[in-house]
């Protein structure tokens, strides 16, 4: 994914729109949210007055997260178990959501895994990483699409991604050409992912031009970025906005607490992007934060 920079905004000033379009009736789901960026996103959205559903794989940790938020006076937060790597768990969650809430405005796909230390690059768990980070988000989006409330404010999907999944990290020209095509489809993306997993199984992944840093995680985000682009094109003008957001090198458990900024810093930016005014809301954009936000085409 090559990015053409359009504009920058200071990382430290995540100003919210003055013309508030949301209310407590605005419903947001955040996945993988018992800690880190997901938890911070739930907290920030709840502070701003939305109704937020926090999801996590671990029931005990999810309930503890909700208790912590409610102790801070945030009452419009709810928990339900969700493991995006399990289709049955997705179905159970969506059935519960449909019964209790019925309609959705914002989905933040944050749930993701990586099994590498900062300077490691094992692909031992590649299948789990792809299943969670790409297929998990994809299956959840597909299951929830019928429930998005199509209105003047537009429904929003914000996929938490990574610059590691950018096309300039990919050295394989054939795959790069496919992903850059205007005719890119879900089948192309899934074929790319299958090819990577096959390369892992036969031990050829290091010679096939895949990203060199956190390879399995990078490929999962490469696929997620591409899928976001496909859906953004498909639903353009139909009331659903889809964008990706790379929070940068954030201090979370995935980075073993290392990073240039906190999860709360990243969540401030993520909330601003999720709550852009309808008249300013793009689709098919990749937002990269660091010392600045770069808004680029997927």
């Amino acid at each position: 994914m090559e990015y053409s920079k359009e504009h920058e905004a200071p990382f430290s000033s995540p100003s919210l729109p003055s013309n508030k379009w949301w209310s407590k009736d605005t419903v947001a789901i955040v996945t993988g949210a018992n800690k880190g960026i997901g938890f911070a996103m739930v907290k920030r959205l709840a502070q701003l007055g939305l109704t937020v559903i926090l999801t996590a794989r671990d029931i005990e940790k999810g309930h503890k997260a909700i208790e912590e938020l409610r102790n801070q006076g945030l009452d419009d937060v709810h928990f339900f178990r969700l493991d995006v790597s399990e289709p049955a768990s997705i179905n159970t969650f969506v059935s519960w959501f449909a019964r209790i809430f019925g309609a959705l405005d914002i989905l933040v796909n944050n749930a993701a895994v990586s099994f590498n230390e900062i300077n490691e690059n094992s692909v031992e768990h590649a299948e789990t990483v792809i299943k969670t980070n790409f297929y998990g988000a994809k299956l959840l989006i597909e299951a929830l699409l019928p429930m998005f409330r199509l209105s003047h404010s537009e429904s929003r999907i914000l996929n938490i991604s990574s610059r590691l999944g950018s096309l300039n990290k990919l050295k394989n020209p054939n795959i790069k050409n496919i992903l850059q095509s205007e005719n890119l489809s879900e089948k192309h993306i899934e074929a790319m992912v299958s090819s990577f997993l096959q390369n892992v199984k036969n031990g050829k992944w290091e010679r096939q031009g895949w990203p060199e840093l956190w390879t399995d995680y990078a490929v999962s985000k490469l696929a997620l970025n591409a899928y976001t682009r496909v859906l953004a094109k498909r639903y353009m003008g139909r009331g659903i906005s889809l964008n990706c957001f790379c929070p940068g090198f954030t201090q979370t458990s995935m980075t073993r607490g290392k990073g240039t900024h906190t999860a709360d810093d990243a969540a401030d930016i993520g909330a601003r992007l999720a709550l852009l005014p309808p008249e300013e809301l793009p689709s098919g954009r990749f937002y990269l934060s660091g010392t600045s936000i770069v808004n680029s085409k997927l």
Side-chain angles (χ1 to χ4, degrees):
M1 185 184 309
E2 303 288 351
Y3 305 130
S4 56
K5 187 169 69 174
E6 293 182 354
H7 72 257
E8 297 184 359
F11 185 91
S12 59
S13 58
S15 57
L16 287 162
S18 56
N19 52 333
K20 177 181 173 182
W21 61 266
W22 64 90
S23 70
K24 69 176 181 179
D25 295 324
T26 304
V27 179
I29 294 171
V30 183
T31 67
N34 63 284
K35 61 181 179 179
I37 294 173
F39 179 79
M41 278 291 294
V42 171
K43 179 172 68 174
R44 186 67 182 127
L45 292 173
Q47 288 172 340
L48 291 167
L50 288 78
T51 295
V52 191
I53 293 88
L54 179 156
T55 79
R57 289 179 297 177
D58 188 293
I59 293 177
E60 183 178 350
K61 291 178 180 178
H63 283 305
K64 285 183 178 179
I66 287 293
E67 182 180 1
E68 181 178 342
L69 292 169
R70 288 181 176 165
N71 287 340
Q72 296 178 33
L74 301 174
D75 295 325
D76 288 326
V77 290
H78 310 267
F79 167 69
F80 197 85
R81 181 188 179 274
L82 172 62
D83 184 342
V84 297
S85 70
E86 298 177 356
S89 179
I90 291 177
N91 292 337
T92 300
F93 169 75
V94 172
S95 295
W96 168 83
F97 179 84
R99 185 175 69 254
I100 303 300
F101 295 95
L104 175 63
D105 299 282
I106 298 170
L107 170 62
V108 180
N109 276 310
N110 171 73
V113 295
S114 176
F115 296 89
N116 284 306
E117 297 291 337
I118 294 295
N119 296 315
E120 291 181 352
N121 194 32
S122 167
V123 295
E124 180 183 354
H125 302 285
E127 191 167 340
T128 298
V129 172
I130 296 292
K131 187 177 182 181
T132 303
N133 300 2
F134 169 56
Y135 281 111
K138 181 178 182 293
L139 291 175
L140 183 61
I141 289 173
E142 290 173 349
L144 287 172
L145 271 174
M147 298 182 195
F148 276 97
R149 192 173 2 233
L150 305 182
S151 67
H152 69 280
S153 62
E154 293 203 30
S155 296
R156 296 114 189 275
I157 297 176
L158 185 65
N159 292 324
I160 306 302
S161 189
S162 172
R163 72 187 78 187
L164 295 177
S166 59
L167 274 184
N168 58 15
K169 307 294 185 184
L170 190 61
K171 307 303 181 186
N172 187 311
N174 293 330
I175 296 175
K176 184 180 289 189
N177 288 336
I178 291 171
L179 294 180
Q180 287 177 320
S181 170
E182 288 299 316
N183 298 317
L184 180 67
S185 69
E186 294 171 44
K187 288 184 178 180
H188 292 134
I189 300 168
E190 292 182 355
M192 180 268 291
V193 168
S194 295
S195 175
F196 168 67
L197 291 177
Q198 184 59 42
N199 287 164
V200 170
K201 288 180 180 179
N202 61 29
K204 297 180 179 179
W205 64 274
E206 290 181 294
R207 303 190 297 275
Q208 296 301 315
W210 298 108
E212 297 175 354
L213 181 63
W214 274 23
T215 302
D216 53 4
Y217 181 84
V219 172
S220 74
K221 295 302 185 178
L222 181 70
L224 181 61
N225 292 343
Y227 179 62
T228 304
R229 174 187 161 200
V230 169
L231 285 191
K233 184 177 180 180
R234 182 180 303 162
Y235 287 95
M236 186 68 69
R238 295 170 59 185
I240 299 180
S241 164
L242 298 101
N243 296 294
C244 287
F245 169 48
C246 171
F249 191 30
T250 310
Q251 296 161 11
T252 65
S253 59
M254 188 177 288
T255 63
R256 308 301 186 262
K258 298 179 180 179
T260 58
H261 52 270
T262 68
D264 284 338
D265 292 332
D268 282 342
I269 299 295
R272 187 184 87 174
L273 298 175
L275 298 174
L276 284 169
E279 65 273 12
E280 297 178 17
L281 184 64
S283 192
R285 292 289 188 269
F286 182 96
Y287 293 94
L288 171 62
S289 67
T291 56
S292 63
I293 296 177
V294 179
N295 170 15
S296 308
K297 294 181 180 180
L298 280 168

